[in-house]
Amino acid sequence: MAKRIQISQHGGPEVMQWVEVDLPEPQAGEVVVENKAIGINYIDTYVRSGLYPASLPSGLGTEAAGVVKSIGAGVTAVKPGDRVVYAQSALGAYSEFHAVQADKLAILPDSISFELAAASFLKGLTVHYLLCQTYVIQPDEIFLFQAAAGGVGLIACQWAKALGAHLIGTVGSAEKAERAKKAGAWATINYREEDVARRVSELTNGKKVRVVYDSVGQDTWESSLDCLQRRGLMVSFGNSSGPVSGVNLGILTQKGSLYVTRPSLNGYVTTREALIWASNELFSMISSGAIKVDVPEQQKFALKDAQQAHKTLESRGTQGSSLLIP
């Protein structure tokens, strides 16, 4: 038997249940991973709340790092005992053991701990596709990244610095501003105290930016558009304040013939080859020291305490990544 977090209805953190289930058996092409550290991501709250539909009852989470326990028929890429990490599994990573498609696994270098891997894999792969594929950030380029002190944002600050680019990051406090600057942000804007679009214009001598990355959603939609140059690109990749809805596309014309895209990791990492390429890029950044991910002790929660983890995450009281530990 094994334990996992499960939901039988959509709602707040209280709908998450700590239940006992049968130990999974790997089907053909699958691997059962004994999770050692589990990544908590904002998208998990969307599944729990029902914003992203799931068949109930359902597990939660898609990211963890651990050790291969057993393999199914046809699996040759990994073997029992291998250290692995994954970020695109079927729902259910909030568990002691999880069955994962073998082609979704990356072999974890010995130099990277389970906790570091689970804290950085999905977020790091996200930053990779954002800065290196959705829009290719160039050296010396100035761009805006909303929520720069979050888990994805702090990795983006470091990646931008490694690229020689200038990231302007929005934050909600002086403490978060300092954290983003320490990670490599070129400049920060406290959205609680400053007009973001006006400040971006000042920082760029009135030129504004060619691209904005926004995971906040509803609350920052228009201000993000106002930061863009003519024919600039708005990359909306999250909904932490609620989804952007009811948009009149005419606003894109009014604000300068703008472009908008709504990407996701699953739209970029679609093959094993793409996963290997992206994960190797991320592991190289981590191994070189260009990217560091520190998880505060108060943001490491026992797996059974997932309710508290989600409450803390949704209160915006976290900085960087958070983990569940089985």
Side-chain angles (χ1 to χ4, degrees):
M1 302 296 288
K3 293 288 188 71
R4 78 166 188 166
I5 295 295
Q6 181 172 289
I7 60 170
S8 298
Q9 61 182 347
H10 294 298
E14 69 280 355
V15 304
M16 293 189 289
Q17 303 169 313
W18 179 235
V19 300
E20 190 171 65
V21 294
D22 291 333
L23 190 69
E25 290 288 337
Q27 303 301 307
E30 286 186 342
V31 170
V32 171
V33 178
E34 182 178 2
N35 291 332
K36 299 296 186 181
I38 300 160
I40 302 173
N41 296 287
Y42 220 95
I43 193 172
D44 303 341
T45 70
Y46 303 159
V47 176
R48 188 209 70 221
S49 70
L51 178 62
Y52 289 3
S55 299
L56 300 176
S58 174
L60 287 176
T62 63
E63 176 186 36
V67 177
V68 174
K69 182 75 173 178
S70 57
I71 63 175
V75 173
T76 58
V78 297
K79 62 184 184 303
D82 280 349
R83 302 172 74 251
V84 294
V85 60
Y86 58 89
Q88 295 173 286
S89 74
L91 292 173
Y94 285 19
S95 58
E96 294 175 331
F97 296 86
H98 189 34
V100 182
Q101 287 290 323
D103 61 2
K104 303 297 185 184
L105 296 169
I107 298 291
L108 188 60
D110 291 340
S111 60
I112 299 177
S113 70
F114 293 122
E115 289 192 4
L116 175 54
S120 64
F121 199 54
L122 187 145
K123 298 173 182 68
L125 295 182
T126 296
V127 172
H128 178 261
Y129 86 71
L130 289 173
L131 303 192
C132 302
Q133 296 183 80
T134 303
Y135 178 96
V136 181
I137 294 295
Q138 300 297 319
D140 295 322
E141 181 157 16
I142 301 174
F143 65 99
L144 180 67
F145 203 100
Q146 298 275 16
V152 174
L154 288 173
I155 293 176
C157 288
Q158 297 174 78
W159 209 306
K161 183 179 180 180
L163 293 172
H166 304 307
L167 181 149
I168 302 171
T170 65
V171 296
S173 69
E175 181 184 5
K176 289 188 175 184
E178 183 60 31
R179 191 173 177 89
K181 288 178 182 176
K182 185 177 180 181
W186 177 66
T188 58
I189 301 171
N190 187 332
Y191 63 81
R192 299 184 190 278
E193 300 176 354
E194 302 175 271
D195 182 291
V196 173
R198 182 181 298 119
R199 186 67 183 128
V200 166
S201 184
E202 292 171 354
L203 288 166
T204 59
N205 296 317
K207 294 180 180 179
K208 301 186 180 181
V209 296
R210 294 185 64 187
V211 63
V212 173
Y213 297 99
D214 190 331
S215 64
V216 179
Q218 186 179 60
D219 288 354
T220 53
W221 166 250
E222 285 214 35
S223 67
S224 286
L225 295 181
D226 288 336
C227 295
L228 286 166
Q229 298 175 7
R230 189 173 303 278
R231 297 193 302 275
L233 175 63
M234 166 68 163
V235 183
S236 177
F237 69 101
N239 313 291
S240 63
S241 69
V244 177
S245 59
V247 175
N248 176 2
L249 289 179
I251 195 173
L252 303 179
T253 298
Q254 297 164 17
K255 293 183 181 295
S257 296
L258 303 178
Y259 295 89
V260 176
T261 184
R262 182 61 172 86
S264 71
L265 180 62
N266 289 337
Y268 282 84
V269 178
T270 58
T271 64
R272 175 125 187 102
E273 291 73 24
L275 174 62
I276 291 172
W277 172 57
S279 59
N280 284 343
E281 293 272 302
L282 174 61
F283 295 154
S284 177
M285 283 284 197
I286 294 173
S287 297
S288 71
I291 289 178
K292 299 177 182 178
V293 180
D294 298 316
V295 181
E297 285 301 317
Q298 67 270 23
Q299 289 175 212
K300 297 178 184 177
F301 301 86
L303 177 56
K304 64 182 178 62
D305 294 331
Q307 285 189 13
Q308 185 57 47
H310 274 217
K311 289 176 183 177
T312 304
L313 180 66
E314 291 181 298
S315 73
R316 299 196 181 184
T318 62
Q319 293 189 10
S321 299
S322 301
L323 294 173
L324 296 171
I325 307 298

